Amino acid sequence: MELIFEKSKPGRSSVSIQQSDVPATDIDTAIDKKYLRTELDLPEVAEVDLIRHYTNLSRRNFGVDLGFYPLGSCTMKYNPKVNESAASLPGFTGLHPYAADKMAQGNLQLIYEMQQYLSNIFGMAQFTLQPAAGAHGELTGVMMIKKYFEKQGEKRHRIIIPDTAHGTNPASGALCGFETITLRSNNEGGVDIEHLKSLMTEDVAALMLTNPNTLGLFERNIEEVSRIVYGKGGLLYGDGANANAFLGIARPGDLGFDVIQLNLHKTFSTPHGGGGPGSGPVGVSKSLIDYLPVPQIVKTADGYQWSDNFPDTIGRVRTFYGNFNVIVKAYTYIRSLGAEGLRHATEMAVLNANYIKEKLKPYFDLPYDRVCMHECVFSGKRQVAESGVHTTDIAKRLIDFGYHPPTIYFPLIVPEAIMIEPTETESKETLDAFCEAMITIACEAKENPQILKDAPLSTEINRLDEVLAARKPDVCWKKT
Ligand SMILES: *Cc1c(COP(=O)(O)O)cnc(C)c1O
């Protein structure tokens, strides 16, 4: 496809407006010449060509509104459009971020209520909505853990993180100055209890646990895990990015977690294509409440107000009060579904993942054959052994069948991992069609492996040199 620059013809324009009857000013005398650039080389095209160019480009994109998007770990679920209409109400979009509390009572009420809903759903004492995404929420949570031990007059240097964790977990620990140590998984895909016992000392500030973990498996020994961590005075951090698997069914607060972060842009249905915007609320138990970021919203006789009056706070982690529009969408999702609806969403998400797991089990290696939660993890090991076809080839071939590939090569403990998260909104017909495509690909791998190695065949560009694209990205067009 031609670039917009290549479509350019000198003198062509996207506007035709009448000659101005305002006398022209001599630009050379009006402003300092050094600010004038002459060699801009902007494309010159007619309006219709401009519109077609970008519309055609957008049609080459893929999103959850176009087709099935079974990306594991990073819930890419369908976002009901009612969330968008609520978030675009002028009272939300038009408010100045510096507006006085008195003039923003409705918006403050929404934030306040959202904190309460989340506290109820997750069984935590209090939430902050300030962090901008999951990883930022983790950082905020670990900062609070650090402050907690400072206040206790204790110096702890380590954080334990399972080998299935998302890469942001060790990054958040390290950013706060902790040494991160890796906890092995057992052959069931859960925490290796003996290994945890050997790692858990009085130098460990916290265990950062994702439950269900990134294998889509619920940690069966969670009570014992928390006993071991508490036994040495440590805290339990919960990575809540997989909350789509337990809304209305289990509450991290009841399971013993002291702090969790959520990803509203995953679990609570707000679009985050291209990486943002997100929202990463952090919930804490009573023991960490004093360290929450400021400002915090308080309800007084005069209405809702922001307050900085929390002496032990870790301070501010973001300008203003978080990604407000994302919060409005998540709030709308919670209000429109209600408690029953949230629980039903989770039940369907888990049912759909297990349906796919059972249907594909005869064709792909399933390293942990247990009832899964919201996602299931296969391995492409069998295909590698049989025909030298790798997981990446399977993923690329799925594009030709009209599906976004699932997450691959994660979690790291599964060789040739293929991680599928169907989410709750997909119909049985969609799941069946996807499984059919996967089964066809498994057959192709045996009979015609070359077609997988050449895939995708239906796209503008086939395979990028991913290393070169990451190390030396060439994104600049130069006139020749
Ligand atoms: C997505 C994800 C994160 C990071 O969240 P971001 O919003 O992308 O920063 C952390 N942990 C898990 C398990 C995740 O899936």
Side-chain angles (χ1 to χ4, degrees):
M1 185 168 161
E2 264 182 325
L3 298 177
I4 187 89
F5 294 96
E6 292 162 330
K7 290 186 173 146
S8 177
K9 291 279 178 285
R12 219 165 258 180
S13 161
S14 284
V15 286
S16 50
I17 42 176
Q18 294 188 32
Q19 198 75 43
S20 168
D21 56 4
V22 178
T25 304
D26 182 7
I27 201 156
D28 287 351
T29 55
I31 60 171
D32 191 332
K33 259 194 166 159
K34 74 172 188 248
Y35 295 117
L36 279 182
R37 290 183 296 163
T38 49
E39 287 302 314
L40 280 182
D41 272 335
L42 293 177
E44 298 173 84
V45 290
E47 180 175 321
V48 65
D49 297 318
L50 181 72
I51 294 295
R52 284 181 189 152
H53 179 78
Y54 286 107
T55 304
N56 278 316
L57 267 185
S58 76
R59 289 167 59 158
R60 301 227 153 120
N61 210 343
F62 191 93
V64 76
D65 287 354
L66 278 173
F68 188 42
Y69 202 135
L71 205 64
S73 185
C74 193
T75 307
M76 291 294 279
K77 64 195 208 177
Y78 177 73
N79 308 295
K81 299 301 174 239
V82 64
N83 301 352
E84 296 297 324
S85 39
S88 51
L89 291 172
F92 294 134
T93 55
L95 190 74
H96 194 281
Y98 279 134
D101 294 353
K102 266 206 166 64
M103 297 172 69
Q105 285 296 299
N107 295 34
L108 298 189
Q109 183 180 351
L110 184 142
I111 294 177
Y112 186 84
E113 286 180 3
M114 184 66 167
Q115 289 177 180
Q116 289 197 314
Y117 292 159
L118 295 178
S119 299
N120 276 328
I121 296 170
F122 295 95
M124 307 305 287
Q126 182 62 281
F127 262 89
T128 171
L129 305 184
Q130 227 181 78
H136 194 201
E138 291 170 29
L139 179 66
T140 306
V142 179
M143 285 165 74
M144 284 191 266
I145 289 174
K146 190 167 179 163
K147 187 102 188 197
Y148 167 88
F149 285 108
E150 266 169 33
K151 280 276 152 189
Q152 313 279 313
E154 277 190 62
K155 278 209 165 36
R156 296 190 178 221
H157 301 95
R158 304 174 132 196
I159 283 197
I160 301 179
I161 300 174
D163 53 10
T164 46
H166 196 277
T168 49
N169 289 188
S172 302
L175 268 176
C176 291
F178 287 104
E179 182 198 339
T180 59
I181 38 183
T182 305
L183 172 63
R184 275 196 306 268
S185 299
N186 61 18
N187 55 11
E188 274 207 317
V191 165
D192 182 328
I193 294 286
E194 290 312 311
H195 195 216
L196 175 62
K197 280 184 186 157
S198 71
L199 294 179
M200 191 64 213
T201 63
E202 272 157 18
D203 197 26
V204 172
L207 165 67
M208 285 181 95
L209 194 71
T210 312
N211 196 18
N213 65 18
T214 63
L215 292 165
L217 302 175
F218 194 81
E219 179 51 60
R220 287 176 176 158
N221 299 319
I222 181 65
E223 286 167 322
E224 188 171 4
V225 166
S226 63
R227 263 197 305 276
I228 296 169
V229 174
Y230 290 136
K232 300 283 181 194
L235 296 174
L236 196 55
Y237 180 99
D239 180 333
N242 291 340
N244 216 38
F246 58 82
L247 293 178
I249 291 174
R251 304 197 315 163
D254 301 338
L255 298 176
F257 286 95
D258 297 288
V259 49
I260 64 158
Q261 112 276 348
L262 303 173
N263 299 49
L264 295 189
H265 46 293
K266 295 181 182 173
T267 314
F268 292 95
S269 107
T270 55
H272 61 291
S279 175
V282 175
V284 293
S285 63
K286 281 211 177 68
S287 53
L288 290 172
I289 233 171
D290 294 343
Y291 313 112
L292 282 166
V294 286
Q296 284 179 45
I297 202 160
V298 289
K299 195 175 174 182
T300 70
D302 290 335
Y304 300 96
Q305 285 171 7
W306 288 113
S307 166
D308 281 309
N309 192 17
F310 296 89
D312 289 335
T313 173
I314 56 164
R316 213 179 232 285
V317 295
R318 197 181 181 282
T319 48
F320 302 113
Y321 317 108
N323 282 338
F324 182 65
N325 252 321
V326 175
I327 297 165
V328 177
K329 292 176 203 185
Y331 177 90
T332 310
Y333 183 70
I334 292 175
R335 289 293 300 262
S336 54
L337 284 187
E340 298 256 311
L342 290 178
R343 187 188 166 106
H344 186 58
T346 277
E347 288 167 349
M348 294 309 290
V350 171
L351 179 63
N352 285 354
N354 279 285
Y355 184 75
I356 288 186
K357 172 172 71 69
E358 289 305 312
K359 270 199 108 153
L360 294 184
K361 204 158 92 174
Y363 304 92
F364 296 91
D365 198 61
L366 183 67
Y368 300 97
D369 192 358
R370 273 171 60 179
V371 172
C372 66
M373 303 294 288
H374 61 306
E375 62 197 3
C376 55
V377 182
F378 290 98
S379 163
K381 248 167 57 184
R382 191 183 306 172
Q383 281 71 23
V384 175
E386 280 173 5
S387 47
V389 158
H390 287 267
T391 284
T392 186
D393 306 317
I394 296 169
K396 297 289 184 198
R397 184 65 177 143
L398 263 176
I399 298 173
D400 289 332
F401 286 84
Y403 298 105
H404 194 286
T407 296
I408 54 174
Y409 298 106
F410 181 79
L412 304 176
I413 61 166
V414 173
E416 300 285 327
I418 309 172
M419 178 196 241
I420 302 171
E421 179 178 5
T423 76
E424 64 277 8
T425 46
E426 301 301 337
S427 67
K428 181 170 176 295
E429 291 75 23
T430 301
L431 301 183
D432 283 337
F434 171 75
C435 289
E436 258 336 290
M438 285 293 283
I439 293 166
T440 305
I441 292 171
C443 296
E444 284 178 346
K446 281 189 193 151
E447 288 152 17
N448 185 7
Q450 196 55 38
I451 199 168
L452 269 67
K453 300 208 164 157
D454 294 339
L457 306 167
S458 58
T459 52
E460 193 78 16
I461 294 170
N462 297 82
R463 290 212 194 179
L464 291 172
D465 180 335
E466 287 176 15
V467 176
L468 200 65
R471 295 275 158 81
K472 291 186 182 165
D474 178 11
V475 291
C476 184
W477 179 80
K478 293 207 182 67
K479 203 170 176 177
T480 46

